[in-house]
Amino acid sequence: MRLRHLVARGFRNLADLDCEPPASGLALLGPNAQGKTNLLEAIYYPVLFRSFRGAPDQEVTRFEGPGFHLEADVDGGPAASVGASYVAAGRRKRILVDGLEPDRLADAVGSWLAVSFLPDDVSLAAGAAGGRRGYLDRLLSLADRHYLRSLSRYRAALAQRNSALRQGRWDVARAFDAPLAAAGAEVAARRERWAEVAVEQFAAEFECLGEGGGARLEYRAGQELADSNAWDAALAEAWPRDQSRAMTTVGPHRDDLALAVGGKPLREFGSNGQQRAAAVALKLIELAALREARGTEPALLLDDVFAAFDRERQRRLARRLLEVPGRQVFLTAPRPDELPPDLALPVWRMDAGKVTP
């Protein structure tokens, strides 16, 4: 997929923007705190219709502004244009796909496809399990609308059940066991199928990036809950614990995507270089999974990624990320010397929120 035309108004610190990015993408240079990441955020926003930083829409709006508007014309996907408008007064958001409002957000998600890699994404390897679950949910939701619907049903049932547990309404909480089990089994089963394929991919990508030691990926579930018939016993066993903690303590919202090198947990024993390589490997798997599932190459957004690597690793990383026919790449760096060697992308500049080709 390619971003052909981008309009951004009232978004973060960006000056109002109306531009046509090159088909190959671009390298965006400029000092820190000028808005480079904000531009990548604007490009990514119509993928999930939310910030890739997890910021609420009122924080994405320009300071003291009335709201924001984004519109992206794209090639290679199911829609020719995607957009979103947000009005700060009343916190109202409107989403458009080819000029029409979809019935549900799920019908719009993934109309434009991109994969982002930010410096903080090293937390996929070094951080807590919640970040890795978020990675799985984003990838699988974009690859499979059925997963997104199952995940939405699961989260809704989980929220209702937990609310009832906090209020001590035990009968109401148990009433949500059946919908929780039905949707949770679908979520767990899809995650497990993905992990079966990703095991070899993760090890191969990790090695390709110049890191040895034998990397391993494993989907680690607290219990075998991919079968909906297993939920009754699991929930019954957890019920006293759920009551005492006022929360649901069993289900895929408690699972982890465990990463290891040399048989030891990467989060605890991996070097900084190994953790970065593991995070990059997960992003490469995300690219491959979306390409296979959707039949098109997602755009790639890289925010100041190369500075953390030595020159040899920069070359390896550049080959894996940039030398792919048809892939549109947007990357940022403060200075030209922090770009990978032999980079063949047009260079644009960012200064005080203003983009200059």
Side-chain angles (χ1 to χ4, degrees), residues 4-5 46 49 71-75 77-83 96-100 111-112:
R4 182 165 43 84
H5 183 215
F49 297 96
E71 185 175 344
D73 294 337
V74 300
D75 291 330
S81 69
V82 291
L96 295 176
V97 178
D98 285 337
L100 302 174
S111 298
W112 156 241

Side-chain angles (χ1 to χ4, degrees), residues 61-121:
T61 301
R62 185 182 297 156
F63 183 65
E64 295 186 344
F68 67 81
H69 173 75
L70 293 172
E71 185 175 344
D73 294 337
V74 300
D75 291 330
S81 69
V82 291
S85 296
Y86 174 77
V87 179
R91 299 185 179 181
R92 301 189 308 275
K93 179 157 65 177
R94 185 179 185 222
I95 293 170
L96 295 176
V97 178
D98 285 337
L100 302 174
E101 290 191 62
D103 294 332
R104 298 169 299 179
L105 175 62
D107 296 330
V109 164
S111 298
W112 156 241
L113 279 182
V115 172
S116 66
F117 187 70
L118 314 178
D120 288 348
D121 283 335

Side-chain angles (χ1 to χ4, degrees), residues 18-295:
D18 189 326
C19 68
E20 296 183 359
S24 60
L26 58 92
L28 186 64
L29 299 182
N32 291 331
Q34 299 302 301
K36 299 187 303 296
T37 305
N38 294 344
L39 179 62
L40 297 187
E41 187 177 20
I43 293 172
Y44 188 87
Y45 189 95
V47 175
L48 295 169
F49 297 96
R50 58 181 172 87
S51 164
F52 61 22
R53 296 164 168 170
D57 289 329
Q58 59 267 30
E59 293 183 12
V60 170
T61 301
R62 185 182 297 156
F63 183 65
E64 295 186 344
F68 67 81
H69 173 75
L70 293 172
E71 185 175 344
D73 294 337
V74 300
D75 291 330
S81 69
V82 291
S85 296
Y86 174 77
V87 179
R91 299 185 179 181
R92 301 189 308 275
K93 179 157 65 177
R94 185 179 185 222
I95 293 170
L96 295 176
V97 178
D98 285 337
L100 302 174
E101 290 191 62
D103 294 332
R104 298 169 299 179
L105 175 62
D107 296 330
V109 164
S111 298
W112 156 241
L113 279 182
V115 172
S116 66
F117 187 70
L118 314 178
D120 288 348
D121 283 335
V122 70
S123 65
L124 288 174
R132 289 181 289 279
R133 287 194 297 269
Y135 162 84
L136 269 179
D137 288 338
R138 180 185 63 251
L139 184 163
L140 293 175
S141 292
L142 290 171
D144 181 356
R145 291 189 185 277
H146 178 73
Y147 181 87
L148 177 57
R149 289 191 290 269
S150 298
L151 181 65
S152 297
R153 291 196 302 270
Y154 180 76
R155 287 176 172 172
L158 179 65
Q160 295 280 5
R161 191 176 193 269
N162 284 345
S163 176
L165 286 168
R166 288 192 297 270
Q167 298 172 54
R169 302 170 66 190
W170 311 130
D171 290 345
V172 175
R174 295 307 297 264
F176 287 98
D177 285 4
L180 189 79
E186 293 176 354
V187 168
R190 185 65 182 90
R191 287 180 180 180
E192 289 181 3
R193 290 197 302 272
W194 173 87
E196 290 172 0
V197 176
V199 168
E200 293 185 5
Q201 292 177 318
F202 181 72
E205 293 291 4
F206 190 80
E207 183 177 354
C208 185
L209 292 168
E211 300 292 342
R216 179 167 178 78
L217 173 153
E218 177 187 4
Y219 181 64
R220 190 167 293 168
Q223 301 191 43
E224 297 296 329
L225 295 177
D227 180 359
S228 59
N229 294 322
W231 278 76
D232 285 346
L235 289 171
E237 180 184 351
W239 181 242
R241 188 168 64 246
D242 291 356
Q243 289 177 298
S244 64
R245 297 185 185 180
M247 61 183 293
T248 304
T249 60
V250 63
H253 65 288
R254 309 276 293 181
D255 295 348
D256 193 7
L257 186 63
L259 309 176
V261 174
K264 296 181 179 180
L266 189 61
R267 178 186 177 189
E268 300 171 27
F269 297 99
S271 67
N272 288 339
Q274 288 174 326
Q275 290 173 348
R276 284 194 198 94
V280 172
L282 289 176
K283 291 294 182 174
L284 289 166
I285 292 172
E286 183 177 355
L287 279 166
L290 294 181
R291 182 193 313 120
E292 180 177 355
R294 300 291 300 278

